[in-house]
């Protein structure tokens, strides 16, 4: 009888976590696309602008490959992969039970979507567009979407080291629940 009120509370938590995921993603997409439009308007065709000497600055690039320009001219492959990951994140979002996972998936979804928009609609052609990069960090040039994806990876590393699953439970909590379920099944059979 005590589990009846827990279901609506659990559902409310899942709803809040999905809202967090989608809000984080939307914020990243908006920031990414606005900053890319500014970069196209102010940086394209101009020399690098140093902010901290050679360490950081702004340099306009169109990247038709993956990280560090790898896989150039295979934009459609990255577009298909991004679409699959997009669907995977939406599916995983239905099972959320952790704020950390919601943030990580939101950052990942936003970053993925920001770069996916570029691949779909930016020059040279639909589905073959080049991603706009403009933040020069000495060893590589990136954008807001890339920073969000990197942030998502960092959060996921921390969450995995802490043993927190997508459902918000630790490994010990999942094992304890499994043992309780197995004990309950044994009692039912008796």
């Amino acid at each position: 009888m005590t589990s009846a009120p827990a279901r609506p509370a659990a559902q409310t938590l899942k709803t809040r976590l999905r809202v967090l995921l989608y809000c984080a993603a939307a914020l990243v997409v908006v920031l990414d696309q606005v900053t890319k439009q500014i970069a196209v308007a102010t940086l394209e065709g101009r020399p690098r602008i140093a902010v901290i000497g050679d360490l950081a600055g702004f340099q306009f690039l169109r990247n038709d490959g993956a990280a560090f320009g790898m896989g150039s001219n295979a934009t459609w492959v990255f577009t298909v992969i991004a679409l699959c990951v997009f669907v995977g994140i939406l599916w995983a979002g239905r099972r959320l039970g952790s704020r950390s996972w919601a943030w990580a998936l939101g950052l990942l979804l936003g970053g993925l979507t920001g770069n996916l928009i570029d691949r779909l609609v930016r020059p040279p052609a639909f589905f073959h567009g080049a991603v706009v990069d403009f933040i020069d960090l000495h060893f590589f040039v990136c954008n807001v979407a890339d920073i969000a994806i990197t942030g998502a990876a960092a959060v996921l590393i921390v969450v995995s080291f802490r043993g927190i699953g997508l459902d918000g439970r630790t490994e010990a909590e999942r094992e304890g629940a499994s043992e309780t379920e197995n004990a309950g099944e044994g009692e039912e059979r008796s």
Side-chain angles (χ1 to χ4, degrees):
M1 288 191 185
T2 58
S3 64
R7 288 198 194 273
Q11 199 59 32
T12 301
L13 175 63
K14 286 183 181 259
T15 300
R16 286 182 186 160
L17 292 173
R18 278 195 299 269
V19 168
L20 174 60
L21 184 157
Y22 299 133
C23 286
L27 178 63
V28 169
V29 171
V30 168
L31 286 173
D32 179 64
Q33 291 300 303
V34 166
T35 57
K36 285 176 179 175
Q37 284 305 111
I38 292 169
V40 168
T42 61
L43 298 173
E44 189 170 22
R46 295 194 172 99
R48 181 185 188 276
I49 299 170
V51 175
I52 306 175
D54 287 341
L55 229 67
F58 297 104
Q59 179 179 0
F60 186 87
L61 292 174
R62 290 190 187 268
N63 181 0
D64 61 354
F68 307 108
M70 293 185 300
S72 186
N73 298 322
T75 301
W76 69 273
V77 173
F78 301 119
T79 304
V80 170
I81 291 169
L83 288 169
C84 292
V85 173
F86 184 91
V87 170
I89 293 169
L90 294 179
W91 177 81
R94 299 177 329 156
R95 299 182 18 208
L96 276 174
S98 161
R99 185 175 295 127
S100 298
W101 273 92
W103 272 111
L105 292 180
L107 291 172
L108 182 59
L109 183 63
L112 177 84
T113 303
N115 285 339
L116 184 58
I117 290 169
D118 286 11
R119 293 187 188 285
L120 291 175
V121 301
R122 292 207 187 264
F126 179 74
F127 216 72
H128 296 280
V131 173
V132 170
D133 289 331
F134 61 93
I135 302 169
D136 185 353
L137 299 173
H138 188 65
F139 293 111
F140 58 93
V141 181
C142 63
N143 56 46
V144 172
D146 297 335
I147 292 168
I149 291 168
T150 303
V155 172
L156 290 175
I157 289 169
V158 170
V159 168
S160 67
F161 277 129
R162 291 181 62 205
I164 300 170
L166 182 63
D167 62 359
R169 296 185 300 171
T170 64
E171 290 179 34
E173 291 169 333
R174 284 190 297 279
E175 287 174 7
S178 177
E179 290 172 7
T180 303
E181 288 171 5
N182 289 341
E185 288 175 9
E187 290 174 10
E188 288 176 10
R189 289 184 204 151
S190 300

